[in-house]
């Protein structure tokens, strides 16, 4: 579970990026984070990933208190997470296979495990025939699916995706979210930042809207109060 308790984040520049955020994301939840540019969405994700330190309050990720997290323990936290970036962040010199295998080597997986797991995951994302390609031989949607495969390959508890559909066409956007829905059905928590309203509407998942550093809508709370 991820819990934010009265969380604020100020950058050294003086920008108040997040102000008094309170929320819970349970294991197995599927959440869209929406809001205009500069609202604080990336900051929200960066706090969960321990890429930035919070200024006030507490965030607890699977029992880990982020305010107390030592830098050397960050890799331990990150192993719970698969991260998907808008700009893919693939290694251009490596083949599709090696990009995904690399993520497994980083966590000390055996060669035997890598050899069965990587082709399996690449088939799952529909890239079985692209195993030997280099990223620059792939379309945007294909590159994003490599980055998704890399995020999935170590079986993370949480997938965090910052604008995963920002650089792909609408049809592919739909397929990427579909794929994440399937993964969510196996119990993985999914957190997606996006500004694609149509996509968010269509999938009917929990939506948290951030505006100027504050949560202004959370469909989960709204549904609950509608039931009361
Ligand atoms: P979003 O992802 O919703 O576009 P961000 O979380 O990136 O929003 O940014 C929230 C606010 O914090 C913005 O005003 C932005 O300019 C500021 N900000 C983001 N990152 C930094 C940083 N590293 N240093 C200073 N200010 C930052
Ligand atoms: P899109 O128009 O969807 O961005 P591309 O035209 O980039 O797609 O690619 C279409 C197909 O051709 C993809 O399956 C991609 O893997 C393949 N492809 C593109 N460039 C190369 C290349 N230089 N070598 C081999 N295959 C390529």
């Amino acid at each position: 579970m991820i819990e934010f308790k009265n969380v604020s984040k100020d950058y050294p520049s003086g920008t108040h990026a997040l102000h008094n955020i309170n929320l819970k994301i349970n294991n197995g939840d599927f959440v869209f984070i929406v809001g205009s540019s500069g609202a604080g969405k990336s900051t929200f994700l960066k706090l969960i990933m321990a890429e930035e330190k919070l200024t006030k309050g507490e965030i607890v990720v699977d029992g880990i208190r982020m305010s107390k997290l030592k830098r050397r323990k960050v890799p331990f936290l990150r192993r719970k997470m698969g991260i998907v970036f808008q700009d893919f962040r693939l290694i251009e010199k490596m083949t599709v296979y090696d990009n995904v295998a690399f993520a497994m080597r980083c966590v000390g997986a055996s060669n035997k495990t890598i050899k069965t797991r990587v082709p399996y995951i690449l088939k799952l994302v529909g890239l079985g025939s692209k195993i030997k390609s280099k990223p620059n031989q792939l379309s945007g949607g294909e590159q994003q699916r490599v980055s998704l495969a890399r995020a999935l390959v170590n079986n993370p508890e949480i997938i965090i995706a910052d604008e995963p559909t920002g650089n792909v066409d609408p049809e592919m956007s739909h397929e990427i979210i579909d794929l994440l829905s399937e993964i969510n059905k196996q119990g993985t928590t999914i957190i997606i930042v996006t500004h694609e309203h149509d996509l968010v509407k269509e999938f009917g998942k929990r939506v948290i809207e951030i505006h100027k550093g504050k949560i202004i809508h959370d469909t989960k709370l709204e549904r609950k109060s509608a039931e009361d």
Side-chain angles (χ1 to χ4, degrees), residues 130 133 136-142 169:
K130 301 286 175 181
S133 303
N136 68 6
Q137 299 172 321
L138 303 177
S139 70
E142 288 168 335
D169 62 38

Coordinates of all heavy atoms in Angstrom, one line a residue, residues 130 133 136-142 169, ligand 2:
K130 N 10.6 -8.8 -32.7 CA 11.5 -7.7 -32.7 C 12.7 -7.8 -31.8 O 13.4 -6.9 -31.5 CB 10.7 -6.4 -32.3 CG 9.6 -6.1 -33.2 CD 10.0 -5.5 -34.6 CE 8.8 -5.3 -35.5 NZ 9.2 -4.8 -36.8
S133 N 16.0 -6.4 -32.9 CA 16.0 -5.1 -33.4 C 16.7 -4.1 -32.4 O 16.7 -4.4 -31.2 CB 14.6 -4.5 -33.7 OG 13.9 -5.4 -34.6
N136 N 16.3 2.2 -32.5 CA 16.0 3.1 -33.6 C 15.4 2.5 -34.8 O 15.1 3.1 -35.8 CB 17.3 3.9 -34.0 CG 18.4 3.0 -34.6 OD1 18.2 1.8 -34.8 ND2 19.6 3.6 -34.7
Q137 N 15.2 1.1 -34.8 CA 14.5 0.4 -35.9 C 13.1 0.2 -35.5 O 12.4 -0.4 -36.3 CB 15.2 -0.9 -36.1 CG 16.6 -0.8 -36.6 CD 17.3 -2.1 -36.6 OE1 17.1 -3.0 -35.8 NE2 18.2 -2.3 -37.6
L138 N 12.6 0.8 -34.4 CA 11.2 0.5 -34.0 C 10.4 1.8 -34.1 O 10.9 2.9 -33.9 CB 11.2 0.0 -32.5 CG 12.0 -1.2 -32.2 CD1 11.9 -1.5 -30.7 CD2 11.5 -2.4 -33.0
S139 N 9.1 1.6 -34.2 CA 8.2 2.8 -34.1 C 8.1 3.2 -32.7 O 8.5 2.5 -31.7 CB 6.8 2.4 -34.7 OG 6.2 1.5 -33.8
G140 N 7.5 4.4 -32.4 CA 7.3 4.9 -31.1 C 6.6 4.0 -30.2 O 7.0 3.7 -29.0
G141 N 5.5 3.4 -30.7 CA 4.7 2.5 -30.0 C 5.4 1.2 -29.6 O 5.3 0.7 -28.5
E142 N 6.3 0.8 -30.5 CA 7.1 -0.4 -30.2 C 8.1 -0.1 -29.2 O 8.3 -0.9 -28.3 CB 7.7 -0.9 -31.5 CG 6.7 -1.5 -32.5 CD 7.3 -1.8 -33.9 OE1 8.3 -1.1 -34.3 OE2 6.8 -2.6 -34.6
D169 N 0.8 6.9 -31.0 CA -0.4 7.3 -31.6 C -1.6 6.8 -30.8 O -1.5 5.9 -29.9 CB -0.5 6.9 -33.1 CG -0.4 5.4 -33.3 OD1 -1.0 4.7 -32.4 OD2 0.2 5.0 -34.2
Ligands
LIG2 P1 5.4 4.1 -37.4 O1 5.1 4.8 -38.7 O2 4.3 3.4 -36.7 O3 6.2 5.0 -36.4 P2 7.8 2.9 -38.6 O4 7.5 3.4 -40.0 O5 8.9 3.6 -37.8 O6 6.4 2.9 -37.7 O7 8.1 1.4 -38.6 C1 7.2 0.5 -39.1 C2 7.8 -0.9 -39.0 O8 9.1 -1.1 -39.6 C3 8.0 -1.3 -37.5 O9 7.6 -2.6 -37.3 C4 9.6 -1.2 -37.3 O10 10.0 -2.2 -36.4 C5 10.1 -1.5 -38.7 N1 11.3 -0.7 -39.0 C6 11.3 0.6 -39.0 N2 12.6 1.1 -39.3 C7 13.3 -0.1 -39.4 C8 14.7 -0.3 -39.7 N3 15.6 0.7 -39.9 N4 15.1 -1.6 -39.8 C9 14.3 -2.6 -39.6 N5 12.9 -2.4 -39.3 C10 12.5 -1.2 -39.2

